[in-house]
Structures are given as structure tokens and as C-alpha cells.
Amino acid sequence: MKRKSALIFGASGQDGSYLAELLLKKKYIVHGVKRRASNLNVSINNDIYQNRYKKNKNFIVHYGDISDSASVYKIIDKTKPDEIYNLAAQSHVAFSFEVPEYTANANALGALRIVESIKLHNLIKKTKFYQAGSSEIFGRVQDSPQNENTPFYPLSPYAVAKLYAHWITKNYRETYGIFGSNGILFNHESPRRGVTFVTRKIISGLCKIKEKKQKKLYLGNLNSKRDWGHARDYCFAMWKILQQKKPDDFVIATGIQYSIKQFINKVAKKLNMKIYWKGKGIKEKGYDKNGNIIIECHKNYFRPLDVNTLLGDSKKARKLLKWKPKTHIDSLIDEMIRAEYKYLNEDK
Ligand code: NDP
Ligand code: GDR
């Protein structure tokens, strides 16, 4: 039987690394797109990318950029894959307020470049397309929990761009019959999460405070609530979405939410640290048992507009994809803490 092939835009990111591992395990030929930079990026995922995949003959690296039409067209033409996963994005919501135009180019037009390329290269009958959508499109939530029928209300340049990508995928599906599916994924984390996202920042900060390598952790809005799952489980859902007979859109979530403060308390408990909270809003502070301030809010980490609550209802995915999250938030935190200690010991 002919081996399936997949092309992953964003293969060096958190999700790209888990998805590549899954597909290689399923005996796919995996093509990963990586953008060139003038110096080597030394993030953990790039280590994984360099060390693990470089030597695997079933993993082929292509240099390209989702914001550059010619490179996207060329790579798709060259690889003609059975499945394309578009995970490439400027994925930081807060940064998107600072680089709105670049965010729109990568996150919105990136998806357009791929579907247009599938059409131009006559791949409509061959190639299935997965678009990495986000729960951020629910923004100022109109209903709770959020499912595929909840109205969208994006609150950041990131979310507005992701909403364009959502609709253009649906539009090419309805206009040209492309097998294009949107996953509307709620937050998912792992030891491979970028260090500026809140879960990794909290775990990394508290581990360092406990080990006396850092005195204080500065954060922003402690009261927003998120529905957090494990990236490995969510990448499995991406693959399942493309194994369906028909293209469709799916919400992927755990259905349980915690506030940032609750998340901090959970991590602290696992590290045997008790945090005493005092104050409100930006003045709220977390103290250790000796009365030292170890958590403080700083205006730099507040967004011009924030999404206060997100809670997903993934009944459709549970029924049609037979998917459900395997990892409980406590196991996710345990895994992230273990990895953080490993990074600390390796002094990364
Ligand atoms: P990451 O930020 O870890 O990974 C993003 C990937 O996109 C990296 O490989 C990055 O490459 C690549 N990339 C960025 N800009 C470009 C570009 N111009 N051209 C080519 N590649 C580029 O994100 P995640 O893995 O967490 O998320 C994957 C996708 O899923 C993203 O689209 C994100 O918006 C979306 N998403 C994520 C959720 C989450 O909770 N993690 C939830 C919902 C949606 P490089 O290594 O060079 O930076
Ligand atoms: P999010 O994740 O914006 O939901 O986007 P992030 O972890 O950045 O923020 C979650 C919430 O925590 C609050 N917060 C802070 N956030 C960061 N990054 N740093 C801080 O210091 C801090 N303090 C408080 C934020 O205000 C926010 O409310 C992630 C990304 O992966 C997107 O690509 C993806 O689409 C969504 O999840 C679903």
C-alpha cells in the first residue's frame, strides 16, 4: 500500500512537533516547512526539530514562509501531499496588537495561499486541508459553553485574522469542493509550549522561585479563565478531523475551565508552595510564607482588550470523531513541572 504523505506548515512549533511525531508513527512521509532565519533559533522545539527529525528519512524539511505566496505554491506543487496541516502562525495574541499587519498576513492570508494553491495545482480531489482555528474567535463570548454554532466575536488582531482563515477555508470548501476542515481548538499546552504563554511562564517562574533562581514572577490579568488541554491529545484530533469522509468544522476542548489564579494555585500546591493573595486587580500580589512578594501584576502584561472567559463544548467531536481528551489538567501540570526541572538542570 502506498504511504500517505503530509505537509505541515509550522512543523517546528509546539503542535507541529507532536503532529509530526504522530504522523511518522502512522508511517506517513512528513514534509515540514521551516522558515529561514539569519541565526539558529535555540528553542526546545527547534532542538527537537533539529535532532529528532533531521536524521529521519521520512521527515523532509522544506524552507519557506507562509507570508510568501511563491514559496507556499512551490512547496505544495513539489510535494503534492495527501494532507496539509496549516499550523503556521504568529500565534501570540498579545503580540498581535503590536504587529497587526504581519499577524493578518501570516494568520489570515496564509490560509488563503494554501487553499488557492490546492485549487491552482489541481489538487482538490487529492489533498485534504486542516486549518488550525482558535477559540479566540469566540472572544466576547455570546453563549457558554462555546460550540460550532456559537456566534463569533473576535477581540484581537490575532482572532480577527483566524476568523478570516476559518471563513476562507469554509468558502473554498463550498465554492470549489476543497476538503478543507477547521479545528476550533481551545488552549492546549505541554512542556513544548513557548515560554511567553501563561501556563509555561507560571510553571517556569514558580519552579525557579522555589529553586531560588528567580525572586518574582510578573503577570497580567489573573482573572481570565481558560479551558486548557494537552497538545498531544489535540494533535490527535487534528489528524482525526482529516480522516472523516466529509470536511467539517469541530470544536476541540476539555469542557473544564480555570482562572489564571486557580492555575497558579494548582502549580504552587504541586511544588509545596503556599501562596497568600492580597489586593485586587492590578494591585493583587502573591506572597510566600515569609511575607515576600513572589507574584506581582505589571501593566505590560495586560492586553488592550482581553478575552475573559473561554469554555468549550466538544460534543460534536466526541460523537463524530470519537475523540475525547485523555490528559487531565493535573497530569499536564505534572508533566510540565518535570520537564521544567529537566530544563533547569540542563540550564536551558
Ligand atoms: P507555535 O507558536 O508553537 O508554532 C507556530 C509555528 O508557526 C512555528 O513552527 C513557527 O515557526 C511557524 N511560523 C510562524 N510564522 C511563520 C511564517 N511566517 N512562515 C512559516 N512558519 C511560520 O504555536 P502552536 O504550535 O501552539 O499552535 C499551532 C497553531 O495552532 C497556530 O496556528 C496557533 O495559532 C493555533 N492554535 C494554537 C492553540 C494553542 O493553544 N496552542 C489553540 C488554538 C489554535 P518558527 O519556529 O520559525 O517560529
Ligand atoms: P491565549 O494564551 O491568549 O489564550 O492564546 P496565553 O497563555 O498567552 O494567555 C492566556 C490568558 O492569560 C492571561 N495572562 C497572561 N498571558 C501571557 N501570555 N503572559 C502573562 O504574563 C499573562 N498574565 C495573564 C492573558 O491575558 C490571557 O487571558 C493561546 C495561543 O496559543 C493562541 O495561539 C491560541 O489561539 C489560543 O491560546 C486558544
Side-chain angles (χ1 to χ4, degrees), residues 10-16 35 41 45-46 64-67 86-91 102 106 132-134 158 162 185-189 193:
S12 59
Q14 171 187 253
D15 291 5
R35 45 180 179 163
N41 186 332
N45 295 340
N46 270 279
D65 197 302
I66 198 72
S67 65
N86 179 27
L87 313 182
Q90 189 299 93
S91 74
Y102 172 70
S134 164
Y158 169 89
K162 282 286 180 184
L185 272 52
F186 282 62
N187 298 52
H188 45 278
E189 318 296 310
R193 187 56 141 155

Side-chain angles (χ1 to χ4, degrees), residues 22-71:
L22 173 75
L23 297 177
L24 287 169
K25 220 156 115 195
K26 292 193 176 292
K27 306 284 179 223
Y28 278 61
I29 303 286
V30 180
H31 301 272
V33 180
K34 175 154 176 54
R35 45 180 179 163
R36 275 208 197 273
S38 57
N39 58 357
L40 281 178
N41 186 332
V42 288
S43 76
I44 309 157
N45 295 340
N46 270 279
D47 276 3
I48 292 166
Y49 194 81
Q50 300 288 345
N51 298 333
R52 195 168 304 171
Y53 303 139
K54 239 183 168 175
K55 293 182 198 113
N56 190 328
K57 66 179 177 7
N58 297 321
F59 186 84
I60 302 150
V61 177
H62 302 263
Y63 288 98
D65 197 302
I66 198 72
S67 65
D68 182 87
S69 303
S71 80

